[in-house]
Amino acid sequence: MINDSVIDRSKDITILELLDRVLNKGVILTGDIVISVADIDLIYLGVKLMLSSVETMEQLKSERQRIDK
Amino acid sequence: MDKLIYCLLLAKSNHTKPETILNSLKGVMEASLLAVEYHNISAIISDVTEKQFVANKQHAVEFALVIDKLAQKYTLLPMRFGSMMDSTGSVMDMLERNEVEIEAGLKKVKNKWEYGLKVLCDREKLKEELIAKQDNDSLNLVKPEIDPNKSVYKTYVLKKLSEHRAEEQILSFVDSILVEIKTYLRKLKAVDKCKKMTNETTIIDAVFLLDKKKKKEVINLVKDLQQKYPQLNFLLTGPWPPYNFVEINIK
C-alpha cells in the first residue's frame, strides 16, 4: 500500500516534470509572444523509485475542481 | 482577441473529430477550445487577451492538461506554454506555411509516448562507496597519506589526485549504467536523449520516445535498475506527450 507522503511527493514531482516540459519544451513559434513565468521554481528532491503518471495529473485536476467548488 | 495555441494535431489519427472532444474540455481560465483545421492538421486554440493572461503555475498546469487529454486520442505536437497569435486567420496561415514540417514532426511521434528517467544520488556518498570498493592496492593510490614530513605542495597534489580519481570512478560508474539503460531502450526501439551529470544530484537525465504499447517494459526496467543499484534513486515519469521530441520551429 502506498502511503500519503509518497503520493504527495509523487504529485510534487509530476508537477515539476510537467512544468519543466510545458515551459521549456514543445513547438516554438518564432517571432511571437513568449511569456516568462516568475513564480515557478523547479527543484528536485532525492527520492526512491517513483512512478508518476497521467493518473496523478488527473487526481490533481479533480482535487482542484473540488477546491474550486 | 489573441489566440493561445495548445498543440498541433493530426486530425486523421482518430475517427472522432477534435470538436467532439473539445466540447468536453476547458482551456486556460475556463476558456472554450476550438480547432483550426488545414488539410490533415489542426491547431487547438482558445481566446485569450494578453492583459488577462497571467503566466502562473495554475495556468501552465491547465494548459498542459488540455494537451494531455488530447494526446490520449490524437497524435500531436505540444506547443510551448504562452504561444499566441493575433487571430484565427494568422493561425490558419501558420498551418499553411508550415504544413510539410508539421506533418513530418507528427509522423515521427505517431503512436508514441515520452518518458523521463532521472537517476539521482548523493554524489559525495557515492564517491566514498566507490573508493571503498577498490582493492587495497588501489585504495592506497587513491587515499593521500597525510605525513607531516611531506611538503604542503606534495600533500596538495596527492589530495587533488585522489579527488580526480574519485571523479573518474563516478564517471565510469555512470557510463556503465547509461550503457545498460540505452541497450535496453534500443531493444525496445526507443529514441532517447541522455545527459550526464546535469547537476550535483542528477547523474543521468534521460528522455525517451517509445511505442505506446511498451509501458510495462519501461516500468520493469526501472524496477530492475532500482533493485540492482539501491544506493541510487530512479525517478521515472510519464507517459507524457512528446514535449522533448518536437524539433521544429514554426514561422
Side-chain angles (χ1 to χ4, degrees), chain B residues 12 40 67 87 130 179 182 190 193 211 236:
Chain B
K12 266 200 331 193
N40 293 328
I67 296 172
S87 67
L130 289 172
V179 167
K182 282 188 166 215
K193 290 179 182 176
D211 194 288
L236 175 71

Side-chain angles (χ1 to χ4, degrees), chain A residues 24-58:
Chain A
N24 302 317
K25 315 288 176 191
V27 180
I28 300 167
L29 202 53
T30 312
D32 268 86
I33 304 158
V34 176
I35 308 278
S36 62
V37 182
D39 71 339
I40 303 170
D41 294 318
L42 301 177
I43 303 162
Y44 291 97
L45 304 169
V47 283
K48 276 285 168 198
L49 172 67
M50 189 76 75
L51 306 168
S52 301
S53 66
V54 170
E55 286 80 17
T56 317
M57 285 171 56
E58 286 301 320

Side-chain angles (χ1 to χ4, degrees), chain B residues 48-82:
Chain B
V48 68
T49 58
E50 239 189 282
K51 278 184 188 166
Q52 275 180 342
F53 190 76
V54 182
N56 59 20
K57 191 159 121 182
Q58 188 191 331
H59 292 161
V61 171
E62 287 171 355
F63 184 87
L65 285 169
V66 170
I67 296 172
D68 197 77
K69 276 276 183 194
L70 290 167
Q72 311 288 329
K73 306 271 181 195
Y74 294 93
T75 299
L76 61 75
L77 300 175
M79 295 292 295
R80 189 168 293 196
F81 179 61

Side-chain angles (χ1 to χ4, degrees), chain B residues 96-130:
Chain B
E96 191 179 347
R97 272 196 313 273
N98 298 278
E99 185 187 13
V100 175
E101 214 180 352
I102 294 170
E103 281 203 341
L106 285 164
K107 203 175 158 191
K108 279 185 192 167
V109 300
K110 197 172 178 187
N111 294 326
K112 292 187 166 93
W113 285 124
E114 176 182 312
Y115 292 87
L117 176 61
K118 282 186 166 61
V119 184
L120 312 160
C121 77
D122 180 336
R123 212 151 145 179
E124 284 309 306
K125 208 174 151 195
L126 179 65
K127 212 186 276 185
E128 282 168 24
E129 278 174 15
L130 289 172

Side-chain angles (χ1 to χ4, degrees), chain B residues 8-14 18 36-43 74-75 95 99 102-103 106:
Chain B
L8 306 169
L9 59 82
L10 196 60
K12 266 200 331 193
S13 57
N14 191 300
V36 180
E37 292 176 29
Y38 182 77
H39 292 161
N40 293 328
I41 52 174
S42 301
Y74 294 93
T75 299
L95 292 177
E99 185 187 13
I102 294 170
E103 281 203 341
L106 285 164

